[in-house]
Amino acid sequence: MPSNMKKYLITSVTLGLITAGGALLIAGTNMLTRGTIEENKIKTINKGLSTIYGVDTLKTDPATLPEGKKFDYVINDYYVVKDEADAPLGYAFKTEGSNSYGKISLIVGFNADYIYKGVAVVLNEQSFASTLNKKYLNPLVKEGKTVDEVDVSCGATYGAKLVRSMVNSATNAAKYLKGANNG
């Protein structure tokens, strides 16, 4: 066997073993952390719902919009939010969106009369996340303002416009749900 061929073969086998080892390491890490990541996601959603509805303990019943009915950014599943005595508090929609600056996910809550109640951040991977939080999301989340009351020209304009579109899409889903449940 020519010496060059032997070098190429050894190099290929070595790189293949390194790649296979890396793949096994990634798969093992995924298996170990998958459950924890999912639990933390659920905790974040429940914490957001508690913040929106102002109660520490609440119940959520997952529901699904009718098949074929889609809204931009709105995940097809939504939550019927109830207090401990099963009295309805409202409805919450999980939204997800992305732009060239990153991903963002929100929970948008509405009261039992389908009127906007508040928003909670589940995930904010925007490259200007701190500016978006400080100048746009904090007024929505902590001060309870609506998207019409907060200026999108905040230094993270594209992120703020994405959030506004996500909340408006959830509002459209709530209006649809109101018509479907009352008509």
Side-chain angles (χ1 to χ4, degrees):
M1 187 183 294
S3 66
N4 282 347
M5 185 65 105
K6 187 176 181 179
K7 288 179 189 175
Y8 294 144
L9 187 60
I10 290 172
T11 302
S12 298
V13 168
T14 303
L15 290 175
L17 289 172
I18 291 171
T19 303
L24 286 173
L25 186 62
I26 290 170
T29 303
N30 182 39
M31 285 176 51
L32 291 173
T33 60
R34 183 181 323 158
T36 305
I37 290 170
E38 191 61 32
E39 287 173 16
N40 287 337
K41 184 178 172 184
I42 291 168
K43 285 179 186 176
T44 302
I45 290 171
N46 287 336
K47 181 180 175 189
L49 289 169
S50 294
T51 302
I52 291 170
Y53 292 96
V55 287
D56 291 331
T57 308
L58 48 80
K59 297 178 183 178
T60 56
D61 291 331
T64 304
L65 292 169
E67 193 172 318
K69 191 63 181 168
K70 301 268 185 215
F71 295 92
D72 293 338
Y73 309 112
V74 173
I75 305 306
N76 223 19
D77 297 332
Y78 65 95
Y79 303 97
V80 179
V81 183
K82 300 175 182 180
D83 64 12
E84 289 179 333
D86 272 346
L89 296 173
Y91 306 89
F93 296 89
K94 184 171 183 231
T95 61
E96 293 179 353
S98 65
N99 58 21
S100 56
Y101 294 97
K103 296 179 187 176
I104 193 159
S105 179
L106 306 170
I107 295 290
V108 184
F110 298 86
N111 67 16
D113 294 324
Y114 305 93
I115 297 171
Y116 173 81
K117 183 141 180 73
V119 65
V121 179
V122 176
L123 172 77
N124 183 358
E125 295 178 350
Q126 293 280 301
S127 50
F128 293 102
S130 60
T131 304
L132 181 63
N133 283 335
K134 195 181 317 177
K135 296 188 177 180
Y136 193 78
L137 289 172
N138 283 348
L140 288 177
V141 174
K142 294 179 180 171
E143 299 170 24
K145 294 184 177 181
T146 66
V147 290
D148 297 328
E149 296 173 324
V150 184
D151 186 16
V152 292
S153 300
C154 63
T157 303
Y158 290 108
K161 286 181 178 179
L162 177 61
V163 169
R164 181 181 59 190
S165 295
M166 292 166 68
V167 171
N168 286 337
S169 183
T171 301
N172 290 337
K175 287 178 184 175
Y176 171 80
L177 196 61
K178 179 180 181 179
N181 288 341
N182 293 326

